[in-house]
Amino acid sequence: MAFDDLKHAQRERLEYLDRLFFWDGAATRSCLTERFGISNPQAALDFKAYLQASAANALRYDASSRRYFATKHFSRLAGRPTIAELEELLGERHGTVFDSLPDLQRSQNVRVFRPLYRAVQNGEAVQIVYQSMRKPEPERRWIAPLRFASDGLRLHLRAWCYERGEFRDFVPSRIDPSQSFRGTREARGVPRDDDWFTWAILKLKPHRDLSESQRRVVRIEFGFDGETREVRVRKALEFYTNRRWGLDQEKPRLECASRKYETMTGASNEI
């Protein structure tokens, strides 16, 4: 990749220029001095290094605005463009052209996650006090933490619940760290987690009630290559899949044309 022979700090600045030329189509020395707090002479050296790495006709300098502009011959030198880097650039505009909703699900307490992670690593069962949304008061129970899964918003814990005698998904933020983890023991009697080691193969398509024009943009929105799109998720994560993609909504954009299950080959219950 371009700039690999440079020191980390300068490489980071040149990669930033690369993003600016791709997204904004232009950049100035002040972009670097304001973003990284460097001097004008250092910014000039960075621009020189970037120009040397670029094709001869990729950039042009406009003396009146003192800006470099990307021409139609410009191409990225480092990395593929992503929406994440666009969000980063938008965030630097301090809310003038971008804002985002506050994240209401960011409560990820290290006091909870560390003992759970260690229990997974050591094959231990732990005692927790858990507040379910189905019952008004918290309950004390023994669980064998097995693995973590993300629904795209937060981490969930998949564990064997000794009280229920089944695999259950727990939201770690609902575990009371002040009353939990007072006891540990070897995680015995945990059966094979068949749902974790089974693929749910979903064939998705735009919902039948949508117009043809609406179905067309749904295919674009969800990255369809054809009329349908096949996705594989663990059967244990089907609930989160349905919720994230809106398959359980009253008026969904997607529907599941078919659903089948396939046991993973070579899968074991080992962590």
Side-chain angles (χ1 to χ4, degrees):
M1 183 182 291
F3 317 135
D4 278 351
D5 57 338
L6 301 176
K7 292 183 178 179
H8 173 75
Q10 188 178 28
R11 183 173 71 245
E12 186 179 5
R13 296 194 297 270
L14 266 59
E15 290 174 349
Y16 181 70
L17 280 179
D18 210 35
R19 294 195 293 271
L20 288 180
F21 282 122
F22 179 83
W23 291 104
D24 290 359
T28 65
R29 293 181 189 177
S30 63
C31 295
L32 294 178
T33 58
E34 293 173 4
R35 174 70 169 76
F36 295 98
I38 60 175
S39 65
N40 273 317
Q42 181 60 61
L45 290 174
D46 289 341
F47 261 92
K48 182 179 180 181
Y50 189 87
L51 290 170
Q52 289 174 342
S54 302
N57 57 354
L59 303 171
R60 66 174 179 84
Y61 182 70
D62 180 70
S64 61
S65 63
R66 297 182 179 179
R67 303 170 76 191
Y68 281 93
F69 287 88
T71 71
K72 64 180 181 180
H73 304 290
F74 171 82
S75 61
R76 291 275 294 244
L77 297 179
R80 298 179 62 182
T82 65
I83 300 303
E85 68 184 21
L86 172 60
E87 290 186 358
E88 182 181 350
L89 290 173
L90 288 170
E92 294 173 4
R93 273 56 173 184
H94 305 293
T96 56
V97 295
F98 175 74
D99 208 340
S100 61
L101 293 175
D103 190 344
L104 301 181
Q105 302 187 34
R106 296 186 65 179
S107 178
Q108 305 283 301
N109 194 330
V110 173
R111 289 178 61 198
V112 171
F113 275 94
R114 185 170 67 170
L116 291 176
Y117 172 75
R118 289 185 176 179
V120 171
Q121 295 297 98
N122 298 328
E124 294 177 336
V126 295
Q127 191 178 56
I128 63 171
V129 174
Y130 188 76
Q131 179 62 69
S132 169
M133 292 295 102
R134 297 182 178 180
K135 295 190 175 182
E137 298 299 327
E139 291 182 303
R140 188 176 298 274
R141 62 179 77 181
W142 279 91
I143 64 171
L146 296 174
R147 42 192 66 92
F148 295 94
S150 173
D151 62 3
L153 295 174
R154 60 184 175 185
L155 284 176
H156 295 257
L157 173 74
R158 187 161 179 83
W160 174 258
C161 179
Y162 287 95
E163 274 70 23
R164 301 291 189 275
E166 61 184 4
F167 293 101
R168 298 180 73 90
D169 291 344
F170 295 88
V171 179
S173 60
R174 297 176 189 169
I175 297 175
D176 185 346
S178 65
Q179 301 186 66
S180 302
F181 313 118
R182 295 179 179 178
T184 63
R185 66 190 189 197
E186 184 181 353
R188 295 180 177 177
V190 179
R192 186 179 188 277
D193 190 351
D194 290 333
D195 284 355
W196 183 264
F197 295 112
T198 298
W199 288 119
I201 306 171
L202 285 60
K203 182 175 287 186
L204 304 176
K205 68 177 184 179
H207 198 273
R208 70 194 75 180
D209 292 338
L210 300 176
S211 68
E212 179 52 42
S213 179
Q214 289 173 324
R215 291 196 292 271
R216 179 181 62 82
V217 296
V218 166
R219 293 187 192 99
I220 295 172
E221 180 181 355
F222 288 94
F224 280 49
D225 292 327
E227 294 296 308
T228 62
R229 178 177 177 180
E230 183 177 286
V231 295
R232 287 179 173 235
V233 299
R234 296 181 187 272
K235 186 178 180 182
L237 304 180
E238 261 191 292
F239 169 78
Y240 304 112
T241 302
N242 293 335
R243 185 172 63 180
R244 183 174 183 183
W245 291 338
L247 300 178
D248 56 354
Q249 294 178 358
E250 184 177 348
K251 294 182 178 180
R253 286 170 290 174
L254 294 172
E255 65 177 308
C256 190
S258 67
R259 189 186 305 254
K260 61 181 180 180
Y261 300 99
E262 180 182 292
T263 302
M264 298 181 186
T265 57
S268 71
N269 202 33
E270 295 181 359
I271 299 174

